[in-house]
Amino acid sequence: MKKLPTLGFIGTGAITKALVTGLCSRAADVPYPIVISPRNAKNAAQLKADYPDQITIAENNQAVVDAADWIILAVHPNIGEDVCQSLRFRPDHKVINLMFDKSIGQIRDFISEVDTILFMIPLTFNAFTDGPIVLYPANDEAAAIFGHIGRIIFADDPDQALVYDTFSGCVTSLFAVMDSLIRWSESKGLSSDDAAAYITRFFNAVSRRLPVWTAAASTPWRQSVWKMASTCRH
Ligand SMILES: NC(=O)c1ccc[n+]([C@@H]2O[C@H](COP(=O)([O-])OP(=O)(O)OC[C@H]3O[C@@H](n4cnc5c(N)ncnc54)[C@H](OP(=O)(O)O)[C@@H]3O)[C@@H](O)[C@H]2O)c1
């Protein structure tokens, strides 16, 4: 079997925890060696405890870079430039940036010349389900790695990638709507558990149905949604 590349994560926050959990638990047949940075210490220790054979906690960020073939930049945008500039990369390194506000050109300016720089948009749901993962530009090797935990979508250009990124910000609004509906149901006498179970299953089912509706519709998208929504109510 071909040697699997080592994946190195700079920043062990929510998104790294999710991606590493997804890779270790849902892609166990392709056990990519994974090196994580020591911060956040709690997440790093938890991941190491959960997957001791697959995960190494590096001493510092440079040790992550030195040990990895692919380096995933998963720190907050406000420290991204400093973190990148503090690291030394090899020319054969492949880098994936998760910071939404940093272009590939900026990352290239922050670090030395490397083989590949990509922008990727995963979400924490990739820990447990094949939600979409946007990649720009298209890259088959990255798609093969992260395709184990998500449905890969190649963006055509950086602007299109940012359009996809906008949806990540809508998750909070969606949860707020669901939370309001759960609270309202409770005020009408439903138990909290029944309300939460119903609302989450309801939205799950509706979103699974939507592609079928839109694919079947010959009318413009918005009209078809309204039409289907009205049929749904009867
Ligand atoms: N969360 C998502 O769903 C998501 C999706 C796509 C992209 N992203 C992007 O991914 C990046 C990380 O997001 P996140 O949600 O994982 O944030 P987060 O949970 O706050 O994690 C960031 C982690 O970086 C660590 N850190 C701080 N300074 C560091 C340094 N100098 N070197 C290494 N690690 C350092 C922090 O550790 P300490 O706790 O020890 O300070 C923190 O735990 C952001 O740019 C975000 O926009 C996130």
Side-chain angles (χ1 to χ4, degrees), residues 125-215:
F125 52 44
N126 295 114
F128 54 86
T129 192
D130 282 346
I133 295 179
V134 177
L135 268 173
Y136 175 78
N139 180 293
D140 289 340
E141 202 186 340
I145 296 168
F146 290 97
H148 293 296
I149 57 167
R151 288 285 296 271
I152 302 295
I153 295 169
F154 291 137
D156 292 339
D157 55 55
D159 288 342
Q160 197 182 76
L162 288 178
V163 170
Y164 285 122
D165 206 18
T166 307
F167 298 123
S168 311
C170 299
V171 175
T172 312
S173 315
L174 178 62
F175 283 173
V177 169
M178 291 169 71
D179 187 54
S180 299
L181 291 172
I182 291 167
R183 285 167 192 267
W184 178 80
S185 308
E186 286 167 359
S187 77
K188 295 294 175 194
L190 253 65
S191 77
S192 157
D193 285 350
D194 286 349
Y198 183 83
I199 301 293
T200 49
R201 283 190 194 123
F202 179 87
F203 277 96
N204 188 8
V206 168
S207 58
R208 279 164 182 247
R209 188 80 185 120
L210 196 58
V212 181
W213 292 339
T214 51

Side-chain angles (χ1 to χ4, degrees), residues 10-17 37-41 43 61 73-77 79 83 97-101 120-125 165 168:
I10 304 289
T12 311
I15 194 63
T16 291
K17 191 173 179 201
S37 53
R39 288 179 63 181
N40 163 299
N43 283 349
N61 290 340
L73 301 172
V75 290
H76 275 196
I79 58 163
V83 168
N97 169 42
L98 304 188
M99 294 175 282
F100 73 93
D101 70 335
M120 185 168 86
I121 312 169
L123 223 67
T124 46
F125 52 44
D165 206 18
S168 311

